[in-house]
């Protein structure tokens, strides 16, 4: 019998603008917004391997999404859709090659690439042998990457932080690159350093000069307010691609080559995606809070903070009619939406 094979374009990490992985921020509506504004690649928030393995894959015909639903409580662990399929990189938190490979097999046809978080300094990650603890365990880190590369055909990458010592950092990058990863994202701060510390752009420059794979520069948001700042950061670091976290969290339209848009415009576009994706009110609210920041103190901000449902949030930006009509459309197609109360 003739075998049908679907050929997919392999994700290229060269010369790209990338939405960084961000817990709670990098859910589907924000990823779609980043793509609208011109990001080439969008990373998911970090998802822990065990949590993904507890989920089941469901095609959601009403929303046109693919959902990974937690078997124990029915919550959406990961929601994606065809629009982002060739652009989305799933970031996994893991300490175990076999578990990581199991996840990779499960999601392989739904995402464009898989990234391993090797930079998270949080206690939960370190105690679990995940995130930044892998920087001190190169054998385990390379075991995970090799296992993944041997298991799936989509590209595998990792995201690291720099170490305090330059030579040690370069040695670590050599070791990780030797596994056959497609690219490496480097945040130019050490585990101990906080966002207010300067990013070590000179270290990123040395890494990118040394490795033959694309190096993705990260950590520059403090000095990135507009599109042209992205390219200054790129030049300073000599890297192939740039990955933005906070600059995109605050105003995702920073990805637009035509120039950034007002916060109001960004929030409205974000909200439409949130409604279309049936995003949870709590996640939607969290993302908008991080766009508004000090504007939460304004009268509009206070009205927003009082909103509980997606429709109430939408009302602050006069999108309540849009929300209601979408919600009715979804209900009529059989979706039991969660438009009512905040979980
Ligand atoms: C992060 N960061 C992060 N990193 C990662 O590898 N996985 C993750 O899930 C998260 N989550 C996350 C949430 C939020 C709210 C922020 C602000 C940051 C770190 C992030 O990807 C990035 O490395 C740093 O923020 C530095 O880049 P910027 O912000 O200077 O562009």
């Amino acid at each position: 019998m003739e075998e049908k094979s679907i050929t997919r374009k392999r994700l290229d990490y060269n010369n790209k603008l990338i939405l960084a992985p961000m817990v709670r921020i990098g859910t589907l509506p924000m990823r779609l917004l980043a793509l609208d504004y011109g990001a080439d690649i969008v990373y998911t928030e970090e998802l822990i391997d065990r949590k993904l393995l507890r989920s089941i894959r469901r095609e959601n015909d009403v929303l046109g999404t693919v959902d990974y639903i937690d078997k124990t409580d029915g919550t959406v662990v990961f929601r994606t859709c065809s629009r982002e399929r060739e652009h989305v990189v799933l970031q996994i938190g893991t300490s175990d090659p076999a578990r990581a490979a199991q996840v990779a097999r499960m999601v392989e046809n739904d995402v464009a690439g898989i990234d391993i978080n090797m930079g998270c300094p949080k206690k939960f990650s370190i105690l679990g042998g995940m995130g930044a603890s892998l920087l001190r365990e190169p054998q385990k880190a390379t075991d995970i990457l090799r296992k993944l590369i041997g298991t799936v055909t989509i590209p595998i990458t990792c995201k690291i932080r720099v170490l305090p010592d330059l030579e040690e950092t370069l040695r670590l990058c050599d070791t990780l690159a030797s596994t056959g990863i497609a690219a490496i994202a480097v945040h130019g701060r050490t585990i101990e350093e906080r966002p207010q510390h300067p990013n070590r752009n000179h270290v990123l420059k040395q890494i990118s000069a040394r490795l033959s794979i694309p190096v993705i520069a990260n950590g520059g948001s403090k000095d990135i307010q507009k599109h042209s700042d992205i390219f200054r950061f790129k030049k300073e670091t000599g890297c192939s691609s740039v990955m933005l976290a906070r600059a995109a969290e605050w105003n995702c339209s920073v990805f637009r080559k035509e120039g950034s848009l007002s916060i109001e415009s960004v929030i409205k576009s974000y909200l439409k995606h949130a409604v279309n994706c049936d995003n949870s009110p709590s996640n939607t609210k969290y993302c908008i809070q991080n766009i508004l920041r000090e504007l939460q103190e304004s009268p509009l901000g206070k009205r927003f903070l009082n909103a509980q449902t997606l429709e109430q949030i939408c009302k602050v930006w006069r999108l309540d009619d849009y929300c209601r009509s979408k919600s009715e459309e979804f209900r009529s197609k059989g979706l039991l939406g969660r438009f009512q109360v905040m979980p």
Side-chain angles (χ1 to χ4, degrees):
M1 204 167 64
E2 197 189 333
E3 204 175 287
K4 260 197 187 163
S5 72
I6 303 162
T7 46
R8 290 178 59 188
K9 224 170 101 197
R10 198 175 156 84
L11 192 60
D12 174 10
Y13 292 84
N14 265 302
N15 211 14
K16 297 290 184 284
L17 294 185
I18 302 173
L19 177 71
M22 281 182 278
V23 167
R24 293 191 73 197
I25 299 289
T27 47
L28 183 57
M30 191 62 82
R31 299 198 303 268
L32 293 176
L33 191 63
L35 289 175
D36 286 351
Y37 289 145
D40 303 294
I41 299 174
V42 289
Y43 279 51
T44 68
E45 60 179 332
E46 178 196 47
L47 293 166
I48 305 300
D49 55 4
R50 290 183 195 279
K51 195 160 183 183
L52 279 159
L53 292 174
R54 257 203 330 260
S55 69
I56 41 167
R57 182 184 184 281
R58 284 272 178 275
E59 290 190 14
N60 186 327
D61 295 332
V62 177
L63 298 176
T65 55
V66 171
D67 300 342
Y68 287 83
I69 311 268
D70 192 313
K71 276 186 276 198
T72 56
D73 61 13
T75 54
V76 177
V77 176
F78 172 47
R79 171 165 283 168
T80 183
C81 65
S82 59
R83 161 90 201 285
E84 67 166 2
R85 194 174 107 157
E86 304 304 324
H87 306 273
V88 66
V89 171
L90 174 73
Q91 189 189 60
I92 309 177
T94 189
S95 63
D96 180 68
R99 268 202 314 274
Q102 229 183 315
V103 171
R105 271 194 295 270
M106 180 167 88
V107 301
E108 183 178 12
N109 293 319
D110 293 322
V111 298
I114 291 174
D115 182 77
I116 300 301
N117 185 346
M118 299 190 182
C120 183
K122 298 238 169 80
K123 207 167 153 193
F124 168 81
S125 290
I126 302 287
L127 291 179
M130 302 181 285
S133 77
L134 292 171
L135 300 177
R136 299 286 177 199
E137 289 192 80
Q139 184 63 50
K140 203 206 276 180
T142 53
D143 284 350
I144 292 170
L145 296 173
R146 286 212 169 87
K147 177 80 178 168
L148 286 169
I149 291 164
T151 302
V152 289
T153 56
I154 54 174
I156 304 301
T157 56
C158 61
K159 177 168 174 281
I160 65 166
R161 282 172 174 257
V162 295
L163 300 172
D165 181 73
L166 172 66
E167 286 309 316
E168 247 191 284
T169 307
L170 295 176
R171 265 200 306 278
L172 174 71
C173 289
D174 285 344
T175 305
L176 295 170
S178 73
T179 60
I181 49 175
I184 184 166
V186 188
H187 177 185
R189 294 187 182 84
T190 65
I191 303 171
E192 289 74 28
E193 284 172 335
R194 301 277 67 89
Q196 64 271 22
H197 289 107
N199 204 54
R200 299 178 191 214
N201 293 352
H202 58 287
V203 176
L204 301 192
K205 191 157 198 171
Q206 298 217 28
I207 298 170
S208 66
R210 186 173 171 115
L211 299 188
S212 55
I213 54 170
V215 176
I216 304 165
N218 175 241
S221 278
K222 203 162 62 69
D223 301 316
I224 296 177
Q225 275 90 40
K226 54 187 187 302
H227 196 73
S228 56
D229 295 336
I230 301 176
F231 294 94
R232 190 189 26 75
F233 179 54
K234 186 178 181 199
K235 197 162 169 215
E236 256 171 53
T237 58
C239 286
S240 170
S241 293
V242 173
M243 170 184 268
L244 299 182
R246 288 162 301 155
E249 174 190 24
W250 298 328
N251 187 333
C252 193
S253 70
V254 70
F255 285 116
R256 277 181 96 236
K257 58 176 182 303
E258 303 84 358
S260 293
L261 300 170
S262 68
I263 294 273
E264 186 189 6
S265 166
V266 172
I267 291 175
K268 281 179 158 177
S269 300
Y270 170 80
L271 266 176
K272 282 190 180 164
H273 280 304
V275 168
N276 296 347
C277 299
D278 188 30
N279 202 46
S280 75
S282 56
N283 183 253
T284 305
K285 197 164 178 177
Y286 180 74
C287 290
I288 295 178
Q289 278 181 285
N290 284 287
I291 302 175
L292 282 176
R293 297 197 287 163
E294 63 278 1
L295 289 175
Q296 289 177 75
E297 301 303 322
S298 69
L300 175 136
K302 288 190 177 136
R303 265 194 292 138
F304 158 72
L305 288 175
N306 281 330
Q308 295 291 307
T309 66
L310 207 48
E311 191 179 317
Q312 287 165 2
I313 298 171
C314 283
K315 191 162 186 227
V316 178
W317 285 274
R318 299 175 302 281
L319 285 170
D320 41 327
D321 283 349
Y322 181 79
C323 182
R324 250 191 319 277
S325 77
K326 273 285 169 190
S327 131
E328 271 155 29
E329 176 193 324
F330 294 156
R331 277 205 206 97
S332 72
K333 289 180 179 167
L335 184 79
L336 294 172
R338 43 176 138 57
F339 285 88
Q340 298 311 312
V341 279
M342 184 108 56

